Amino acid sequence: MPSKIALGFAAALAVLAAGSATAQTNKYDYPVTTVTLTTHSKPGSGSDLFLRKLSKALSEEMGINFVVDYWAGGSGAKAMAQLAKAKPDGSVFYATTPTHVTTSLLSAPPVTYKDIDYAVNVFFDPEIIYALSSSPFNTMKDAVEWSKANPGKARWGGSTAGSLERQILERINSASDAKATVIPQDDGAALLINVLGGSVDLGVGELQELNSYIEAGKVKVLGVYYPDRLAALPNAATIQEQGLDKDVIRKFRGLAAPKGVPPATIAKLEKAVQAILANPEFQKEYKADALVAGYMSQADYRVFMANFVKEQEGFLKQFGVTQN
């Protein structure tokens, strides 16, 4: 785990990279001039990269400073606790991904998703199934067929126990009767290391984390876990095309807030997010990382999250992770 000094240094770098130039004009008449976007993940993670891009774009659009900070610990438990007690004035938001919901359901921390509010969703982040470039598998279907022919020998790496990445592999494993062993990892960075080192046969991650390794020829894509093929990976077949999963769970990337942020403040953030998603320059950036614009207003995001929680409860019960 990174030291407090390392995290502090990384946070300082993020501030410089994302919102160092103090804006001259508060274009949206936002109630604060500096907004902190937090993540429970480590520097270099998918959430960190998402927030750095978002903070830069929002700083330029709104004319105020957005900076990135790290509330690591407990797979989101610490971040939810910190967020719940933050001042509800629009100065602090937390990067939401499925992890904070599964953490709430699996470990029952003192503060859960029920104690925070949802502000706006920004992206959907398609998951990429990948393997070492020297792997004998060229598609996920190849990996499944090999696993079926060699019961118990396949080792698939799926991030933390309740993560969406783990769920993807469990769903494929169950639906195809592949009989692979799905091995939880500490996080996406650790999973990538283990794929590169050969201790697992394949992994699941985001293109933002994998792009440089794909371009360098160190890993190859076996499939895309998203309803459609991605413009950034036009030759990579979806898992549905490979006949391995009928329904696709979409990984979301949005922002949560403390309860009680005034609707007028949220409305200004909603307007700004819509503006940056329509900005051609920002579109080039996020499309290059295979991020898909997934804007949802606060009202829509609250409904989406309520449905997602129900889906997660069903999944965890179906696969024996929880009993109720």
Side-chain angles (χ1 to χ4, degrees):
M1 179 178 292
S3 67
K4 291 183 179 179
I5 294 176
L7 287 175
F9 179 67
L13 288 178
V15 168
L16 291 173
S20 58
T22 302
Q24 298 299 313
T25 305
N26 188 337
K27 301 174 187 176
Y28 283 65
D29 193 26
Y30 199 72
V32 298
T33 57
T34 297
V35 178
T36 301
L37 303 181
T38 67
T39 174
H40 65 261
S41 299
K42 299 174 184 177
S45 66
S47 288
D48 176 41
L49 296 174
F50 156 63
L51 288 184
R52 290 191 205 183
K53 286 183 172 64
L54 185 66
S55 60
K56 180 177 182 295
L58 286 175
S59 292
E60 294 173 354
E61 171 62 27
M62 297 182 72
I64 59 177
N65 286 329
F66 282 77
V67 298
V68 180
D69 197 7
Y70 306 89
W71 289 350
S75 297
K78 179 180 177 181
M80 286 186 285
Q82 293 278 84
L83 184 69
K85 66 183 181 182
K87 190 174 181 180
D89 59 356
S91 63
V92 179
F93 294 92
Y94 164 58
T96 50
T97 67
T99 299
H100 81 285
V101 173
T102 52
T103 293
S104 297
L105 296 175
L106 289 174
S107 59
V111 176
T112 73
Y113 70 89
K114 296 179 181 179
D115 302 301
I116 61 178
D117 199 4
Y118 296 100
V120 60
N121 193 60
V122 185
F123 294 121
F124 290 114
D125 197 351
E127 299 278 15
I128 310 298
I129 301 178
Y130 66 99
L132 198 61
S133 58
S134 58
S135 167
F137 314 131
N138 292 313
T139 66
M140 187 60 191
K141 189 172 182 179
D142 291 343
V144 165
E145 293 303 319
W146 187 89
S147 182
K148 291 168 73 172
N150 299 271
K153 293 186 178 181
R155 300 160 302 167
W156 299 351
S159 195
T160 55
S163 68
L164 184 60
E165 292 80 8
R166 169 80 182 277
Q167 292 182 38
I168 287 170
L169 295 182
E170 293 287 10
R171 286 166 64 97
I172 293 173
N173 201 13
S174 176
S176 65
D177 196 28
K179 296 182 174 63
T181 300
V182 181
I183 304 172
Q185 311 288 311
D186 289 339
D187 52 38
L191 172 57
L192 177 58
I193 290 171
N194 287 331
V195 171
L196 293 171
S199 61
V200 292
D201 302 325
L202 55 86
V204 185
E206 294 97 32
L207 189 60
Q208 294 178 83
E209 298 172 309
L210 301 172
N211 223 350
S212 61
Y213 294 89
I214 295 171
E215 292 176 352
K218 294 182 178 180
V219 301
K220 59 183 174 183
V221 178
L222 303 184
V224 174
Y225 194 81
Y226 199 72
D228 308 302
R229 289 200 183 198
L230 304 177
L233 297 169
N235 297 321
T238 68
I239 295 305
Q240 287 177 313
E241 287 180 291
Q242 297 182 47
L244 299 177
D245 202 345
K246 294 180 180 179
D247 301 312
V248 173
I249 303 172
R250 293 181 297 176
K251 183 169 188 175
F252 51 86
R253 291 198 180 278
L255 297 175
K259 287 187 174 182
V261 177
T265 299
I266 295 295
K268 291 172 182 178
L269 181 65
E270 291 172 336
K271 184 178 179 181
V273 169
Q274 291 178 82
I276 64 171
L277 288 175
N279 183 304
E281 291 303 314
F282 190 50
Q283 286 181 354
K284 289 179 184 177
E285 282 190 46
Y286 68 73
K287 287 181 179 179
D289 288 327
L291 291 169
V292 179
Y295 170 77
M296 282 184 267
S297 66
Q298 182 176 63
D300 290 340
Y301 200 23
R302 285 170 172 167
V303 173
F304 173 88
M305 289 305 304
N307 290 331
F308 181 78
V309 169
K310 291 179 181 178
E311 291 175 358
Q312 290 300 287
E313 289 173 335
F315 171 86
L316 295 174
K317 184 176 181 180
Q318 177 186 352
F319 285 88
V321 182
T322 58
Q323 299 300 315
N324 300 313

